[in-house]
C-alpha cells in the first residue's frame, strides 16, 4: 500500500484564498509608497496630467534638485539627525537605568511607583500645561526641547523592566562576588546582555524622533531649529501655488516643478534614512536574550 499526500479541493481552495489575501494586503500596503516614489521621479508638469500608476512617464530629477537646493531642508536634515542620535542615546540609557532600579525586588514602594507611572500612561496634563512647563523650564526655542521632555517613557520602562527581571540572578551574584558595584553590574553585565531590548527601544524612539514634527511647531519659532519633518509640514501647508519656478545652481536654465511634485520628493528624502536604518537593528530582534551568557 502506498501512502499518498493528496489534498482535498477544500484545502487547495483555502490555501489559494490565503495566499491571495496575503498578496492583496502586501499590495495595498506597499503600493502607496511606490506611487509616491514614482511620482517624485516624474516631471512635475507632466504628473499634473495624471495617469501615472506603475513607473515614471517622464523621468526627471528636477524635483530632488529643487529640494536639495533649498538651504532650509539641509539645515533641518542635519538637525534631525543630531536630535535623533542624541535623543536615542539619552532616552535608552536613562529609561534603562530607571527600569533597572524598578526591576529590583528590594526597591521600597516599587508597586506604588508602578501604579503612579501607569496612571500617567492613561491621563496627561494636556497641551497647555505642557507648554507652560516647557516655558518655565526655559526650553522654548532650544535644541534640548527635543531631548529632555521625552527623556523618559513609562511604556518603554515596562518593556525594560520585564526584560531585566528575566536575567538570571547568577550573573549579578557573580559580579557582586567579584566586588562589582551596582553601576558596574548595570553597565558591564546587564546592558551587554540586553542588546535585543536596547535595539528595540532604540528603534521605537528613533522612529519617533525622526518623524516628530509637533514639537517643532509648538515649541520652536526659529526656523534654524526646526527639524526636517516640521520643514515638510510647512512645505505641505504653505504650498498654495501649482507651479514653482526654481533657478538651479550652476545652470542658466530656469526649470519649473509643481508644488505637489516637490512635496513628494521631500517625503522621499525624509523617509529613506529611517527605512535604511531599520535592517541594521532588525538582526537584534531575533537573537536570544542570554545565549551563552550562563550555564546551569
Amino acid at each position: 500500500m502506498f501512502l499518498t499526500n493528496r489534498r482535498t479541493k477544500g484545502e487547495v481552495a483555502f490555501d489559494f484564498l490565503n495566499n491571495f489575501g496575503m498578496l492583496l494586503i502586501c499590495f495595498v500596503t506597499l503600493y502607496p509608497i511606490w506611487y509616491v516614489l514614482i511620482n517624485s521621479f516624474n516631471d512635475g508638469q507632466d504628473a499634473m496630467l495624471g495617469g501615472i500608476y506603475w513607473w515614471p512617464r517622464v523621468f526627471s530629477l528636477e524635483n530632488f534638485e529643487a529640494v536639495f537646493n533649498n538651504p532650509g531642508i539641509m539645515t533641518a536634515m542635519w538637525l534631525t539627525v543630531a536630535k535623533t542620535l542624541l535623543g536615542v542615546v539619552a532616552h535608552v540609557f536613562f529609561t534603562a537605568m530607571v527600569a533597572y532600579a524598578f526591576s529590583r525586588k528590594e526597591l521600597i514602594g516599587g508597586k506604588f511607583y508602578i501604579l503612579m507611572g501607569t496612571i500617567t500612561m492613561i491621563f496627561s496634563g494636556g497641551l497647555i500645561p505642557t507648554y507652560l512647563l516647557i516655558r518655565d523650564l526655559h526650553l522654548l526655542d532650544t535644541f534640548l526641547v527635543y531631548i529632555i521632555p521625552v527623556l523618559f517613557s513609562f511604556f518603554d520602562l515596562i518593556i525594560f523592566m520585564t526584560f531585566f527581571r528575566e536575567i538570571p540572578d547568577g550573573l549579578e551574584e557573580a559580579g557582586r562576588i567579584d566586588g562589582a558595584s551596582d553601576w558596574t553590574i548595570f553597565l558591564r553585565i546587564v546592558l551587554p546582555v540586553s542588546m535585543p531590548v536596547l535595539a528595540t527601544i532604540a528603534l521605537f524612539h528613533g522612529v519617533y524622533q525622526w518623524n516628530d514634527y509637533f514639537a517643532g511647531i509648538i515649541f520652536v519659532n526659529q526656523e534654524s531649529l526646526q527639524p526636517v519633518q516640521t520643514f515638510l509640514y510647512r512645505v505641505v501647508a504653505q504650498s498654495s501655488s501649482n507651479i514653482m519656478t526654481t533657478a538651479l545652481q550652476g545652470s542658466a536654465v530656469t526649470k519649473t516643478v509643481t508644488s505637489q511634485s516637490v512635496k513628494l520628493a521631500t517625503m522621499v528624502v525624509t523617509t529613506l534614512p529611517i527605512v535604511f536604518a531599520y535592517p541594521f537593528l532588525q538582526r537584534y530582534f531575533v537573537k536570544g536574550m542570554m545565549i551563552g551568557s550562563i550555564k546551569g
Side-chain angles (χ1 to χ4, degrees), residues 89-255:
V89 173
H91 176 85
V92 170
F93 180 79
F94 186 81
T95 305
M97 179 178 61
V98 179
Y100 178 68
F102 270 63
S103 67
R104 309 309 303 158
K105 298 178 181 179
E106 61 270 20
L107 177 65
I108 300 176
K111 293 183 179 179
F112 174 76
Y113 298 145
I114 293 176
L115 176 62
M116 295 299 295
T118 304
I119 293 176
T120 64
M121 295 175 59
I122 304 174
F123 304 100
S124 64
L127 179 58
I128 294 177
T130 301
Y131 181 87
L132 295 177
L133 176 62
I134 297 298
R135 184 197 63 184
D136 294 340
L137 293 175
H138 304 288
L139 293 177
L140 295 179
D141 284 328
T142 64
F143 178 79
L144 292 179
V145 76
Y146 301 119
I147 308 299
I148 294 180
V150 292
L151 193 62
F152 175 77
S153 169
F154 194 80
F155 178 82
D156 294 342
L157 178 140
I158 294 176
I159 299 176
F160 271 123
M161 184 176 61
T162 304
F163 192 94
F164 291 156
R165 285 179 175 176
E166 295 179 358
I167 296 178
D169 295 334
L171 284 176
E172 299 184 21
E173 292 176 358
R176 296 190 187 280
I177 292 175
D178 293 336
S181 63
D182 291 333
W183 275 106
T184 303
I185 293 174
F186 174 68
L187 295 175
R188 304 187 63 177
I189 296 179
V190 175
L191 291 185
V193 300
S194 303
M195 289 305 298
V197 69
L198 292 174
T200 301
I201 300 302
L203 179 62
F204 288 166
H205 192 70
V207 171
Y208 164 78
Q209 283 282 10
W210 186 268
N211 292 332
D212 178 44
Y213 71 95
F214 190 73
I217 296 174
I218 301 299
F219 304 125
V220 177
N221 292 323
Q222 300 181 30
E223 292 188 3
S224 60
L225 287 176
Q226 292 182 342
V228 68
Q229 298 299 341
T230 304
F231 179 88
L232 176 59
Y233 173 85
R234 295 203 332 263
V235 169
V236 174
Q238 297 178 3
S239 295
S240 57
S241 60
N242 289 328
I243 303 294
M244 297 188 303
T245 303
T246 58
L248 301 181
Q249 297 179 357
S251 173
V253 180
T254 299
K255 301 183 179 181

